[in-house]
Amino acid sequence: TSIQAAIDASSPHDVITVAAGTYYEHITVTKNLELYGQGWGSTTIDGEHTGSTPTVNILWGITSSTLISGFKITGGGTGISATSGQDGGGIYMAYASPRVVNTWIDNCTARNGGGVFVLSGSPTFENVPVWNSQAYQRGGGFYLYDANVTMIANPFIGTDGTVLFNRASWDGGGLFMSEVTATIIGIRIWLNTSDMYGGGVEIYNNPYRVGMYGNFIWFNSAKTIGNAGGGISTYSATDLDIILNDISGNTAPGTGGGALFGRSKGVINLNRIINN
């Protein structure tokens, strides 16, 4: 009846299978294990917006032997981004390298990383949609900092890996990245907004390789203050590899409806950039 009770009772490298149902709790993963729900349509972890707390915490020392799969994660933070003082609404991870697979994050709030916040570590996200989440500062969907991150999905199947309807009051409505090494493949980054830079994606102060391949970056917008980079905005990103993406239908009242590249360098090749 409690996922946290099962985690607390487990030994390292145990496998925990969680029955279908909604679990109204906040959980913390402090040991390496495998945690399986019955799919995001069946097994939900709901933080109920009960305070400035992420729904799922994954803390120091967790390795890639930890797998979280088959859940819907919701209700992180207060429900109002301006009052959510924590980082990471749905998932917060620091100095951790788990694999998160087939897990949907929806309706969470935070200061940074409304859906997911990553600080250091080398996590992998495979088919992890983030919807309807908000950050009071940066990264409505994902906030990635000082980490080595892999994000993979199939953009032609269902809701796989869709970053949708997220908002940041500052930068990076869908994704915010800084000082990361990142590989992002097949993600649909749609209908996200920021009030400053990077309605879809903001890459800021990043000396390491960011590779974006085969993503659909559609209908995002930078709306009010910065007015720049509706689809993608970069600043001082010095090792970009942006290839075979579709960047379409994005808007910015100022500069770079589709993309703005500021003080950046790399390979921008074979992209479809239209109707921005």
Side-chain angles (χ1 to χ4, degrees), residues 181-194:
T181 300
T183 301
I184 300 172
I185 302 172
I187 308 298
R188 287 182 291 188
I189 303 167
W190 290 359
L191 294 162
N192 303 283
T193 62
S194 68

Side-chain angles (χ1 to χ4, degrees), residues 201-276:
V201 178
E202 170 74 5
I203 306 170
Y204 178 79
N205 190 25
N206 207 91
Y208 309 115
R209 169 64 61 90
V210 172
M212 299 187 68
Y213 312 104
N215 303 285
F216 292 175
I217 303 170
W218 290 1
F219 306 117
N220 304 284
S221 60
K223 298 184 72 68
T224 56
I225 303 169
N227 299 337
I232 298 175
S233 172
T234 77
Y235 182 82
S236 191
T238 57
D239 193 1
L240 297 173
D241 204 22
I242 298 179
I243 298 174
L244 290 172
N245 301 279
D246 190 320
I247 303 170
S248 301
N250 305 284
T251 61
T255 307
L260 169 67
F261 299 103
R263 295 188 179 181
S264 299
K265 62 183 179 180
V267 176
I268 316 296
N269 198 14
L270 299 173
N271 300 281
R272 180 178 183 262
I273 305 176
I274 64 168
N275 295 327
N276 300 286

